[in-house]
């Protein structure tokens, strides 16, 4: 199995996961904006609370993307372990490094960004 045969599905799954993440974030933001517009019409005093909620992003949204990459890495590693050809096994394990690094980076970013937001007044 060639390296290209491994990286094309990895790239497709990563792209799919990122697109789904952005679409869900877009839907959530549009729902918040609609709620703020309705609150401005009916009860303007509740708008500051809704704006704070809009500005405070859900920390699990980005963390979930990181966990998806790590789960994908585990799947590739398990597939590699069950392969009988040693060269294919090595190629798949090397390919599993990419989503692992991306997942760890996303989780580290959400961890440090959450800590930084908690320190702000």
């Amino acid at each position: 199995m060639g390296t290209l045969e491994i990286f094309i599905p990895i790239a497709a799954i990563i792209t799919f996961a990122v697109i789904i993440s952005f679409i869900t974030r877009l839907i959530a933001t549009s729902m918040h904006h609609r709620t703020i517009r309705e609150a401005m019409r009916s009860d303007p005093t509740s708008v500051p609370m809704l704006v704070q909620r809009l500005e405070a992003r859900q920390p699990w949204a980005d963390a979930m993307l990181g966990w998806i990459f790590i789960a994908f890495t585990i799947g590739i590693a398990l597939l590699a372990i069950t392969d009988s050809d040693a060269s294919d096994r090595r190629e798949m394990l090397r390919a599993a490094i990419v989503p692992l690094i991306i997942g760890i980076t996303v989780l580290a970013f959400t961890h440090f960004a959450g800590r930084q937001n908690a320190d702000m007044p």
Side-chain angles (χ1 to χ4, degrees):
M1 181 179 289
T3 306
L4 189 61
E5 293 172 348
I6 295 172
F7 282 113
I8 289 177
I10 288 174
I13 290 174
I14 288 171
T15 303
F16 180 72
V18 169
I19 288 172
I20 293 299
S21 171
F22 287 150
I23 288 173
T24 56
R25 187 176 297 164
L26 177 68
I27 291 170
T29 303
S30 68
M31 290 172 57
H32 287 293
H33 282 288
R34 183 181 317 141
T35 304
I36 289 173
R37 282 193 303 267
E38 290 175 8
M40 287 176 69
R41 287 186 206 118
S42 63
D43 184 19
T45 59
S46 66
V47 172
M49 179 187 67
L50 292 172
V51 170
Q52 284 179 339
R53 183 171 178 207
L54 178 63
E55 290 176 354
R57 294 196 37 206
Q58 299 295 329
W60 56 265
D62 291 331
M64 184 180 298
L65 186 60
W67 286 113
I68 288 171
F69 284 123
I70 290 176
F72 184 63
T73 300
I74 292 169
I76 292 174
L78 289 174
L79 184 64
I81 290 171
T82 60
D83 197 347
S84 60
D85 187 12
S87 65
D88 286 348
R89 186 178 317 124
R90 184 174 47 250
E91 288 293 321
M92 285 193 289
L93 288 173
R94 288 178 60 203
I97 293 171
V98 174
L100 177 66
I101 296 299
I102 293 171
I104 290 171
T105 304
V106 168
L107 288 174
F109 172 77
T110 57
H111 175 73
F112 292 125
R115 185 184 294 172
Q116 183 180 16
N117 288 341
D119 291 343
M120 294 180 137

